[in-house]
Amino acid sequence: MRALVLNLFLAIVWVGLTGRATAGGLILGFLVGYLLLLWLRRLIGPTTYFEKLPGVLSFMLFYAKEMVRANLRVARDVISIRRKSRPGIVAVPLDLTTDLEITVLTILLALTPGTFGLDVSGDRTVLFVHAMFVDSADALRATIKSDLERRVKELFR
């Protein structure tokens, strides 16, 4: 956590020194700060920041792609004459164990158009998901588990 705060501080210092208070300037400052901290890694002490940050950025790109894809699919169904939606509720067995992991997965599903986490079983082993496009319950279950749940698990472990 300390390395992230240092990296954000260096990004703000970069913006102040360059005088470019834009998103691009902040991102560039963050990258320069990351490289500087990576170079001075021994001074910071033991941290998993340098291993976790690329995974977080990879997840953000993956989720952005999924959001665009889901938005296009829902928009196409809304404006088309023939509806292709086949709504349904699917039980997805969970490999996630903590409340935080399950909550993050449920929030990510709710933010993705066409899916919504309805409920979690009492023993927290099954998540019930409502989806707008359920051609195959097994295919939807496999997609959630292999794409989203696996990546959430990688972020937190």
Side-chain angles (χ1 to χ4, degrees):
M1 188 67 163
R2 189 173 66 180
L4 174 63
V5 172
L6 279 170
N7 201 354
L8 291 172
F9 175 73
L10 289 172
I12 292 169
V13 168
W14 176 269
V15 166
L17 290 174
T18 60
R20 294 187 326 192
T22 63
L26 191 62
I27 290 171
L28 181 61
F30 190 83
L31 291 174
V32 169
Y34 179 80
L35 293 174
L36 181 65
L37 290 174
L38 187 60
W39 185 56
L40 298 172
R41 175 179 213 165
R42 288 188 214 161
L43 297 175
I44 297 171
T47 180
T48 60
Y49 176 70
F50 301 104
E51 291 80 23
K52 290 278 186 183
L53 186 63
V56 169
L57 295 176
S58 171
F59 179 81
M60 290 171 65
L61 288 173
F62 158 77
Y63 192 69
K65 181 189 76 154
E66 289 299 310
M67 284 289 289
V68 168
R69 192 175 63 81
N71 274 293
L72 290 174
R73 188 173 187 189
V74 170
R76 184 178 60 224
D77 192 61
V78 168
I79 63 174
S80 68
I81 295 171
R82 291 187 180 162
R83 299 272 186 227
K84 293 186 179 183
S85 63
R86 296 182 52 161
I89 298 174
V90 177
V92 179
L94 294 173
D95 294 330
L96 304 175
T97 55
T98 67
D99 288 340
L100 179 62
E101 293 171 340
I102 295 169
T103 301
V104 167
L105 175 65
T106 306
I107 289 171
L108 291 171
L109 285 169
L111 290 174
T112 307
T115 59
F116 190 79
L118 293 174
D119 195 15
V120 179
S121 65
D123 59 357
R124 298 183 337 198
T125 59
V126 177
L127 175 65
F128 297 96
V129 177
H130 177 274
M132 192 171 165
F133 302 97
V134 182
D135 297 324
S136 164
D138 291 331
L140 178 66
R141 191 176 297 116
T143 301
I144 291 172
K145 290 198 68 60
S146 67
D147 287 345
L148 205 52
E149 184 186 32
R150 177 184 59 85
R151 291 175 187 263
V152 168
K153 192 186 317 181
E154 288 172 2
L155 282 178
F156 288 100
R157 296 182 187 171

